[in-house]
Amino acid sequence: MKKWLLIVCAGLLAVLSACSSGSADNTNAEGKVELDFWTFWGSETRRPMIEKLIEDFNNSQDEIVVKHTYVPWGDIWTKNLAAIAAGDPPDVIVNDIRTVKIRASNNQVEDMSKWVDDDLKDSFYPHLWDAVTYKDKAYALPFTTDTRMLFYNKDAFREAGLDPEKPPRTWEELKEYSDKLTVKNADGGYEQVGYYPNWGNFTTHDWMINADDGKGLMEGGEPTINTPAKKEAIQWMYDWKQELGSEAVQNMKAEFGNEQQDPFISGKVAMWAEIGTFYKQLEEFGGDLDYGVATMPAYNEDTKPWSTGGGFVMEIPKGAKNPEASMKFIKYLTDVEAQTYWGENNFDNIANKEATKQITENLDGKGAEIFQKSMESLEYTYLSITPPEYPEYENLVNPLIDDALNGKISVEEALDQAQKDVENSEQ
């Protein structure tokens, strides 16, 4: 009896061991490695597209099967860090390109270097590759990037006596055009505002960088917040707000909505800063709106039309059970075929150089015009990388800028204090 029990127990242990070893590397009953891929792409537009790429990858080989997990935008990255801490992270995740170095320094992401060669590295734009490296090692592969541009209402230009084929090139022209495009209503508010520099997708930090001819708030890992040009940018924004009226600005912003109620589409604002994917919204909800797109206005004729950008990467969270399989999937997502599909259908600026070339050749009409302008803008686009030494610098700077724009303290005091606070926060 004892001998029989020992045999049964030994058998059970063998089965459990086999199950354990199978799940340790996420191998399913068919012998394929299962990967859990987290994204925040759950919209009716993007979810089908990413799931098509997943399906194509799964059908392209017999070793790996990828499953998609949608996690909302506001939750995905905090849940990822919690999963890493618990020892059960996803196998692949979409993450922010600006903070790769932070996660690398905190040991929250796998080192990809052993799977990277010069050909893979050279397939991406150099500034994007720099963003995914830390201490000369790669911790992600770039997937998309973006750049802010100035969309403008050509009909509004015509009504104001402006040439619809000549958008503003400098700050001086931007203000001049905005004044001509601004229309007040009978109750003292605004029927249309030409432009306001703290609306849209190009605001305080962006104008500071633009004014400083492409110099960020952090340069070489050190804070460069209180430069004369950056102080001038915040003062310029403050003066603009005072001229429009703080209450009027707040009241008008409260009326902004989405889709047809977007302030640019609805005609409330004649010039609006956005990334290239705004084209898809205009295409769906803009009706017969006649609009153009331009690079962001330069500070003056002697500086460049600096914009700012961000983007997303594909990462392997620290502790993923089969990083080699994860890397195979990530290489697929960042190669020419998948990148071309994503860029053409989402109108994103993608990271792969050859795919970008193919998209440029394939597009026509308005889409080609906007995509080409985005490529022009990318030549002078600053990618704000968060340095590991100052991971919280934006949280220190932003409240002080808000105080300056609201007139609570002077611009000089705000940026000098921000510089000191960031310097004292070094880790």
Side-chain angles (χ1 to χ4, degrees):
M1 183 67 175
K2 289 182 179 178
K3 184 177 181 181
W4 180 81
L5 285 171
L6 287 171
I7 292 171
V8 171
C9 289
L12 286 171
L13 285 171
V15 171
L16 289 170
S17 176
C19 291
S20 175
S21 63
S23 63
D25 62 359
N26 289 8
T27 304
N28 65 16
E30 299 174 350
K32 293 185 178 182
V33 176
E34 288 189 355
L35 299 180
D36 187 14
F37 175 35
W38 286 17
T39 84
F40 49 82
W41 291 318
S43 69
E44 293 180 4
T45 302
R46 296 202 170 201
R47 186 165 191 156
M49 291 178 188
I50 194 61
E51 291 185 348
K52 180 187 184 302
L53 290 179
I54 292 169
E55 182 182 6
D56 289 349
F57 174 78
N58 288 341
N59 293 336
S60 72
Q61 41 74 50
D62 297 321
E63 299 175 353
I64 304 165
V65 59
V66 178
K67 296 182 178 179
H68 180 219
T69 298
Y70 163 69
V71 185
W73 169 263
D75 300 328
I76 185 167
W77 296 330
T78 54
K79 286 189 174 182
N80 176 51
L81 294 179
I84 292 169
D88 189 27
D91 298 287
V92 179
I93 189 170
V94 180
N95 221 319
D96 179 12
I97 195 169
R98 302 185 315 128
T99 51
V100 174
K101 295 180 192 295
I102 298 289
R103 290 184 294 282
S105 69
N106 290 335
N107 199 32
Q108 295 165 337
V109 63
E110 294 286 349
D111 176 7
M112 295 180 171
S113 299
K114 62 183 174 183
W115 299 299
V116 171
D117 57 22
D118 287 342
D119 288 340
L120 180 61
K121 173 183 174 181
D122 292 342
S123 67
F124 302 107
Y125 291 100
H127 71 291
L128 300 181
W129 187 255
D130 177 68
V132 303
T133 58
Y134 176 68
K135 294 185 176 179
D136 297 323
K137 294 183 177 181
Y139 287 90
L141 292 191
F143 186 68
T144 61
T145 187
D146 57 38
T147 183
R148 278 79 183 144
M149 298 176 289
L150 189 72
F151 289 79
Y152 64 96
N153 185 323
K154 288 188 174 183
D155 286 334
F157 268 49
R158 294 185 185 99
E159 290 175 13
L162 296 168
D163 187 337
E165 304 308 321
K166 292 183 178 179
R169 298 168 301 149
T170 63
W171 284 23
E172 183 178 357
E173 287 186 357
L174 180 65
K175 185 63 170 67
E176 176 189 336
Y177 284 31
S178 178
D179 289 346
K180 291 181 178 180
L181 290 160
T182 297
V183 180
K184 287 191 173 184
N185 56 32
D187 62 7
Y190 294 96
E191 183 177 327
Q192 174 180 277
V193 168
Y195 186 74
Y196 177 57
N198 210 16
W199 286 341
N201 206 349
F202 199 86
T203 57
T204 52
H205 291 209
D206 310 302
W207 284 116
M208 291 166 76
I209 292 166
N210 179 287
D212 220 355
D213 206 14
K215 296 180 180 65
L217 277 69
M218 306 294 297
E219 288 290 326
E222 296 297 328
T224 50
I225 298 161
N226 63 341
T227 66
K230 292 186 177 74
K231 289 178 178 178
E232 184 174 347
I234 299 301
Q235 187 65 52
W236 174 73
M237 295 178 73
Y238 173 80
D239 292 343
W240 202 313
K241 182 178 181 180
Q242 295 307 302
E243 184 175 330
L244 287 176
S246 297
E247 185 176 349
V249 167
Q250 292 174 358
N251 292 341
M252 195 164 185
K253 186 176 181 181
E255 299 176 3
F256 293 173
N258 298 317
E259 300 176 351
Q260 291 94 337
Q261 298 307 311
D262 173 270
F264 181 73
I265 292 173
S266 63
K268 293 182 183 297
V269 184
M271 296 183 286
W272 191 259
E274 259 298 351
I275 60 176
T277 53
F278 189 47
Y279 164 68
K280 303 297 286 186
Q281 187 174 340
L282 290 166
E283 190 177 40
E284 185 172 359
F285 303 108
D288 58 357
L289 178 65
D290 188 11
Y291 67 92
V293 63
T295 54
M296 294 305 299
Y299 170 67
N300 59 36
E301 293 184 356
D302 296 324
T303 61
K304 303 299 182 183
W306 280 98
S307 184
T308 58
F312 298 107
V313 298
M314 296 295 169
E315 287 181 350
I316 306 171
K318 192 68 176 179
K321 294 180 176 64
N322 202 318
E324 185 171 1
S326 297
M327 188 66 183
K328 288 179 181 178
F329 176 54
I330 289 175
K331 283 184 175 180
Y332 166 80
L333 290 174
T334 56
D335 207 354
V336 177
E337 183 179 351
Q339 287 268 284
T340 302
Y341 171 80
W342 187 263
E344 286 183 344
N345 288 279
N346 275 313
F347 225 72
D348 271 326
N349 292 114
I350 37 80
N352 186 290
K353 292 188 289 188
E354 179 59 31
T356 298
K357 180 181 177 183
Q358 289 191 17
I359 293 170
T360 304
E361 293 171 352
N362 294 344
L363 287 172
D364 56 17
K366 198 69 175 181
E369 175 191 340
I370 294 173
F371 194 83
Q372 189 59 47
K373 188 60 66 173
S374 74
M375 296 306 299
E376 183 182 332
S377 180
L378 280 169
E379 293 182 24
Y380 296 103
T381 293
Y382 184 90
L383 193 62
S384 297
I385 303 301
T386 304
E389 298 83 3
Y390 302 96
E392 299 296 325
Y393 85 90
E394 290 186 346
N395 293 332
L396 297 171
V397 172
N398 291 343
L400 288 162
I401 290 177
D402 288 343
D403 284 347
L405 290 175
N406 291 324
K408 294 180 180 179
I409 57 175
S410 71
V411 171
E412 185 92 13
E413 290 174 305
L415 295 197
D416 285 349
Q417 188 62 51
Q419 178 79 19
K420 292 176 184 176
D421 288 352
V422 174
E423 287 175 346
N424 292 335
S425 73
E426 183 176 4
Q427 296 186 1

